[in-house]
Amino acid sequence: MLADLADRIAHAHATRTPLRIRGGGSWLHAGRPCEGEPLDVSALSGVIDYEPGDLTLTAYAGTTLQELDRITGAERQWLALDPCAAPTATIGATVATASDGPLASTFGRVRDLVLGLECITGTGERVRAGGRVVKNVAGFDLVRLHTGAWGTLGVITEVTMRLRARPEQDDVFAICADDRTSLERRLAPLADLPIAPLALELLNAPLAASLGFEPRLCLLVRLGGNAERVAAQRRALDALGDVHEIALDRLHALRAADPTDHLVANITHEPSRFTDTWRHVSAFCDAHALWQPRVRGSIRRGLVRVSIPMPDEGAAHVGEWASFVRSIAPPGAHVTWEQLPMHAWPHVPCSVADRISTGLRRALDPAHILNRGLLGEPT
Amino acid sequence: MTRDALAAHLRALIGPRWVKERTAERTAYDADALPGYRALPSLVVLPGSREEIVSVVRLLAAHGIPFVPRGAGTGLSGGSLANDTVVIGLNRLTRIHSIDAANHIAHVEPGVVNAVLQRAVAPFGLLYAPDPSSQAACTIGGNVAENAGGPHCLKYGVTLNHIAAVTVCLPNGELVQFGSAVSEPDGYDLCGLFIGSEGCFGIATDVWVRLLPVAPAVRTLLADFSAMTDAARAVSAIIATGIVPAALEMMDQATIRAVEASIYAAGYPTDAAAVLLAEVDGLEAGLDADVRTIERCCREAGARDVRIATTETERARLWQGRKKAFGALGRIAPHLVVQDAVVPRTRLPAVLDAIAAIGARHGVNVCNVFHAGDGNLHPNISYDADNADESARVHAAMSEIMQACIDAGGTITGEHGVGLDKLGYMDALFTEPSLAAMCAVREVFDPERRANPGKVVPIHACREWAGRAP
């Protein structure tokens, strides 16, 4: 199968035929419009090597996150990644899109968890990078290069991931506030609390409501470790207000994929400016009369993620897209758009237009056939 | 351009004091910490600022002259050796521009010594996690170039995981920034690609390092064993519990005895076949439960004794023995060669047995002091590099050890880099197309291959990369 895939890509290279890579279909609505013959790699599935004692796992790219969760869970281990995606999302696409979630503040982003990979370049060459061990500096780090490249430098066919042992205890607590004005006051004590949460996520009222909480600003704190450690941290949380334990599986709702007709953006800035970033995004949504924006933030990472139902009247609410796509983030912050209407994308600056990025694409996909246009790269 | 003419140009750019032409001066740069290799640079230039680096690199680019960037020269792979090439030494760039305690970021120049940075951020209750054993001398720029590790990487990760951004002077003299100190940019992870590129993609002129809060509590244990394989089994047992120790380091008997006979004596039991140094840190709550679990794992694996450091002095002493082990081993013979292979953790007992057998077969004395929790082995051999017969046996043994590690599913370097020393093993580890892809990536940064030429990827692998081989 791998040889067939390599042949198909080599042929596409020879005939200059654009290919649209497809795994579980989770991120097909993300990024710029991208046409091409479908290249389905979802059948390339299954675990290749899993030795629990090594806390590493090698799988074909089409293996789903839910399958990995099942296999590692049987050994009380996990891949500590919780991106917004359906359980049928594949590990290959997760790596290609570098998608993560609240756990990244503690366990690292995708780039920190992928140890090695194999991919097929835009010329049909099978290339291996990294390895299956937890430390490896042999050769240039093509693993990092392909992680988050959205398949534009090669079709990922196999990955090796670093696993963790599941915490002995893993509990989630919710602390809900009344309104936005108490944000600073609510969050200020966090810095001095003797807690080291696995995840610390702030949800706005519409998002909290969509998860079945009171429609109020809500702080989720996920605590893990041995019983003594979790109990001590739980007691410390009392300083933040009324604390409610919630079932772990309610967090899964937070991982639900964003509806395809939503505008989705990730805004990052310095963690010390988190509340400013949060306020700015909230005020932006108000100012544009955007209905029920779902906003969440990874506080320690300075990340605010917003998912907004597409305005009914389209651009009437939005005004000029050129200004809209930029001004959702406060000055100095960075916005990465995931989902936008097709006509808005030309207003989003391309982040791979620099000389080195362009050169890398020419080196690894000289005919420019892999997910052409997805990152807005110049042709 | 003649060497003299080049030197004159360089003197005009950065001042005569910082261009080293005399043989005696250049000889100080003819080796790094890899024994048995010497290479005399044609010139050594020591720029004092980002702008001076750029002007030097542009001058070299204009004349097509290769160069080798160099930090403290503590590398163990020959990566900073420069044979009749210009060395750009970065040791004058020692400024810590800023420490942003609120956002846990420091902006530093590449010549800042790792331990100096640690001391500078300590008053803020912060630390820089990568802590190579050479941290008293090695520089942040060198750490970035090699993607350096250290004992505490087991829990906290290697250099890659702690660099937010770099400003790079590309080999053509162009300044670019990869990554961001204030946000998470999209686009290709060029910062990640640059880290560990061993000076082949350019020179980092500015580095933004991520800092971590110092853990509020720490416990350090020393377990001693009457067999290496028992200690290795203890490692697997500890990892399997789900505890992620801050460090899990192993030393064999030969290393223990060398340490104890040196000024770095740490009180290790000299009759033990191996000692395991384990550290856990984090919140005070629950830490003693982790200590008890680790102690139980060690005893069940056959530990004769488990000692828990009760004072900071005792803890520092236990660590000193580990950190200075290579220094202590260096007293045994004129030269010490250290390897850096990594194997899957579960293969440690088998690979350690194989290494002992290889050493015995070649009549060389292999010592092991290594990051057991990561499976990162540092088999090292004390020998006399001027003795041709002994050198040949050492190299044969090392080569077999590397092959044994590759066969076990491992890799040839976990934190020291490929440099020159491990170039010969790259073909065993990577396929021809994989190496060719690396060459193609290198040429994007450096089409003329002038930056640290001849390192990391074997020249023969750099075939034309323009589609599939026919």
Side-chain angles (χ1 to χ4, degrees):
Chain A
M1 172 142 186
L2 280 167
D4 292 345
L5 199 58
D7 284 344
R8 170 126 190 253
I9 295 169
H11 182 257
H13 166 69
T15 56
R16 303 288 189 267
T17 309
L19 298 173
R20 177 66 163 123
I21 309 161
R22 188 193 165 101
S26 289
W27 283 280
L28 288 179
H29 298 280
R32 289 169 166 79
C34 168
E35 298 295 324
E37 271 185 18
L39 185 75
D40 194 330
V41 294
S42 60
L44 201 61
S45 166
V47 169
I48 298 166
D49 185 27
Y50 175 35
E51 177 60 63
D54 293 330
L55 286 165
T56 59
L57 179 145
T58 302
Y60 288 114
T63 314
T64 63
L65 296 182
Q66 116 191 307
E67 178 72 353
L68 291 181
D69 203 48
R70 187 184 63 76
I71 291 167
T72 57
E75 302 291 338
R76 290 204 50 76
Q77 296 182 353
W78 62 337
L79 173 62
L81 265 180
D82 51 354
C84 280
T88 50
T90 65
I91 184 62
T94 305
V95 171
T97 60
S99 297
D100 56 32
L103 289 172
S105 297
T106 296
F107 296 105
R109 296 157 62 186
V110 180
R111 77 195 289 270
D112 303 306
L113 298 177
V114 53
L115 302 171
L117 56 81
E118 190 177 277
C119 68
I120 304 175
T121 67
T123 57
E125 298 270 12
R126 286 173 64 182
V127 165
R128 187 171 280 281
R132 293 186 183 184
V133 285
V134 293
K135 258 170 111 179
N136 193 353
V137 295
F140 301 128
D141 195 348
L142 305 191
V143 176
R144 251 40 64 182
L145 183 57
H146 287 284
T147 302
W150 289 77
T152 60
L153 302 176
V155 180
I156 297 174
T157 55
E158 174 190 316
V159 295
T160 299
M161 306 299 295
R162 175 197 289 269
L163 303 178
R164 304 276 177 176
R166 286 197 198 233
E168 190 181 305
Q169 204 170 320
D170 187 355
D171 297 337
V172 186
F173 301 92
I175 302 145
C176 294
D178 287 332
D179 57 39
R180 201 182 295 165
T181 53
S182 62
L183 185 62
E184 270 92 357
R185 198 163 49 80
R186 290 276 174 178
L187 297 186
L190 267 179
D192 299 321
L193 286 187
I195 58 171
L198 304 185
L200 191 60
E201 198 79 355
L202 190 67
L203 317 179
N204 76 342
L207 181 55
S210 77
L211 298 179
F213 295 113
E214 292 286 307
R216 293 190 293 172
L217 191 67
C218 182
L219 180 68
L220 293 182
V221 187
R222 186 169 182 176
L223 302 176
N226 61 37
E228 195 181 327
R229 183 166 300 135
V230 171
Q233 294 184 81
R234 163 65 191 85
R235 286 192 295 276
L237 289 183
D238 284 333
L240 297 174
D242 289 339
V243 182
H244 305 280
E245 180 165 5
I246 61 169
L248 189 58
D249 56 13
R250 279 176 79 182
L251 270 194
H252 295 320
L254 200 57
R255 287 188 57 179
D258 294 294
T260 56
D261 59 352
H262 274 214
L263 312 175
V264 180
N266 290 302
I267 297 114
T268 49
H269 205 188
E270 292 167 316
S272 64
R273 296 174 193 263
F274 175 79
T275 52
D276 296 338
T277 308
W278 179 275
R279 274 184 203 293
H280 179 97
V281 172
S282 305
F284 176 88
C285 291
D286 287 348
H288 287 81
L290 295 168
W291 185 69
Q292 296 280 303
R294 297 176 186 179
V295 187
R296 55 193 273 193
S298 289
I299 297 168
R300 291 174 298 167
R301 196 172 152 192
L303 164 72
V304 173
R305 179 180 174 88
V306 56
S307 174
I308 314 165
M310 191 78 73
D312 288 338
E313 297 91 302
H317 274 292
V318 162
E320 289 295 322
W321 280 108
S323 155
F324 182 93
V325 297
R326 204 175 48 246
S327 53
I328 193 168
H334 181 84
V335 54
T336 301
W337 282 100
E338 275 186 29
Q339 292 180 192
L340 270 179
M342 193 185 291
H343 52 278
W345 277 110
H347 301 291
V348 177
C350 169
S351 51
V352 293
D354 60 288
R355 183 175 72 80
I356 295 293
S357 298
T358 305
L360 290 167
R361 214 186 54 251
R362 286 202 185 114
L364 299 175
D365 178 20
H368 198 190
I369 55 168
L370 301 176
N371 282 350
R372 180 190 288 180
L374 187 57
L375 300 180
E377 65 278 11
T379 49
Chain B
M1 188 188 288
T2 65
R3 193 187 78 117
D4 287 349
L6 176 64
H9 273 293
L10 289 166
R11 283 196 302 270
L13 284 178
I14 64 168
R17 190 179 163 198
W18 307 114
V19 181
K20 309 295 183 190
E21 297 173 71
R22 296 205 311 268
T23 307
E25 292 174 317
R26 287 181 288 129
T27 303
Y29 296 84
D30 76 349
D32 59 11
L34 174 71
Y37 290 83
R38 289 200 179 278
L40 191 63
S42 58
L43 283 172
V44 176
V45 223
L46 303 170
S49 67
R50 180 195 308 124
E51 292 67 31
E52 287 190 357
I53 293 174
V54 170
S55 62
V56 166
V57 171
R58 284 192 180 157
L59 176 72
L60 298 175
H63 297 281
I65 298 166
F67 64 89
V68 177
R70 181 178 170 113
T74 57
L76 289 156
S77 61
S80 61
L81 292 175
N83 193 13
D84 201 23
T85 307
V86 176
V87 161
I88 302 180
L90 300 159
N91 311 70
R92 288 178 63 213
L93 288 103
T94 55
R95 280 173 289 250
I96 297 175
H97 288 302
S98 64
I99 297 169
D100 178 351
N103 291 301
H104 298 179
I105 289 241
H107 173 196
V108 306
E109 288 189 330
V112 171
V113 169
N114 181 300
V116 170
L117 176 62
Q118 306 286 5
R119 283 198 292 276
V121 301
F124 299 95
L126 298 170
L127 60 83
Y128 175 62
D131 60 339
S133 294
S134 57
Q135 72 184 132
C138 66
T139 63
I140 297 299
N143 291 175
V144 167
E146 303 299 321
N147 192 9
H152 289 88
C153 290
L154 173 58
K155 179 171 180 180
Y156 294 109
V158 292
T159 301
L160 169 79
N161 312 109
H162 299 279
I163 302 297
V166 283
T167 298
V168 174
C169 178
L170 296 174
N172 67 358
E174 183 187 346
L175 268 187
V176 290
Q177 186 176 319
F178 299 147
S180 166
V182 297
S183 63
E184 294 176 12
D186 50 341
Y188 301 143
D189 184 359
L190 301 181
C191 182
L193 177 62
F194 181 81
I195 294 164
S197 59
E198 303 197 26
C200 296
F201 292 177
I203 299 174
T205 62
D206 297 79
V207 185
W208 285 265
V209 301
R210 289 192 194 285
L211 306 169
L212 293 175
V214 174
V218 60
R219 303 281 189 279
T220 306
L221 305 84
L222 185 83
D224 73 84
F225 295 84
S226 44
M228 276 285 272
T229 43
D230 289 349
R233 283 195 295 117
V235 169
S236 293
I238 292 165
I239 296 289
T241 63
I243 295 171
V244 183
L248 199 49
E249 301 283 306
M250 203 194 294
M251 281 162 278
D252 67 5
Q253 188 172 60
T255 310
I256 294 166
R257 289 184 174 169
V259 168
E260 290 305 310
S262 76
I263 57 163
Y264 310 119
Y268 300 155
T270 51
D271 60 338
V275 294
L276 194 60
L277 187 63
E279 187 159 284
V280 281
D281 66 7
L283 299 172
E284 180 68 44
L287 209 53
D288 286 325
D290 286 349
V291 168
R292 287 192 296 273
T293 304
I294 291 175
E295 181 177 1
R296 178 174 48 78
C297 289
C298 290
R299 292 199 186 276
E300 285 174 5
R304 303 185 309 177
D305 191 23
V306 180
R307 234 162 74 194
I308 301 165
T310 51
T311 63
E312 185 55 32
T313 313
E314 201 180 338
R315 180 178 164 256
R317 190 158 173 247
L318 288 181
W319 268 112
Q320 172 174 277
R322 165 61 188 91
K323 288 262 181 180
K324 302 293 187 186
F326 289 123
L329 287 162
R331 296 171 65 248
I332 295 173
H335 299 102
L336 177 73
V337 60
V338 181
Q339 278 305 357
D340 180 37
V342 187
V343 297
R345 281 176 275 236
T346 49
R347 305 297 299 274
L348 274 177
V351 171
L352 287 169
D353 281 346
I355 289 173
I358 292 166
R361 195 161 61 248
H362 290 279
V364 296
N365 184 25
V366 187
C367 300
N368 289 288
V369 45
F370 62 100
H371 312 307
D374 289 321
N376 188 183
L377 294 160
H378 288 323
N380 59 85
I381 303 177
S382 303
Y383 72 114
D384 180 359
D386 298 325
N387 178 329
D389 170 60
E390 191 180 11
S391 283
R393 283 186 285 117
V394 167
H395 285 289
M398 279 302 184
S399 176
E400 283 185 34
I401 288 172
M402 294 296 253
Q403 193 57 52
C405 293
I406 294 172
D407 292 345
T411 188
I412 56 175
T413 173
E415 54 185 13
H416 297 172
V418 175
L420 272 183
D421 186 47
K422 298 174 193 77
L423 211 49
Y425 304 114
M426 287 292 277
D427 288 308
L429 200 59
F430 290 106
T431 61
E432 189 196 330
S434 303
L435 292 173
M438 287 182 200
C439 291
V441 165
R442 175 191 209 149
E443 291 191 5
V444 172
F445 289 83
D446 183 17
E448 297 163 317
R449 297 181 206 159
R450 286 184 302 104
N452 212 1
K455 310 282 172 58
V456 185
V457 182
I459 295 289
H460 68 80
C462 296
R463 64 174 163 77
E464 193 64 30
W465 175 266
R468 264 187 151 186

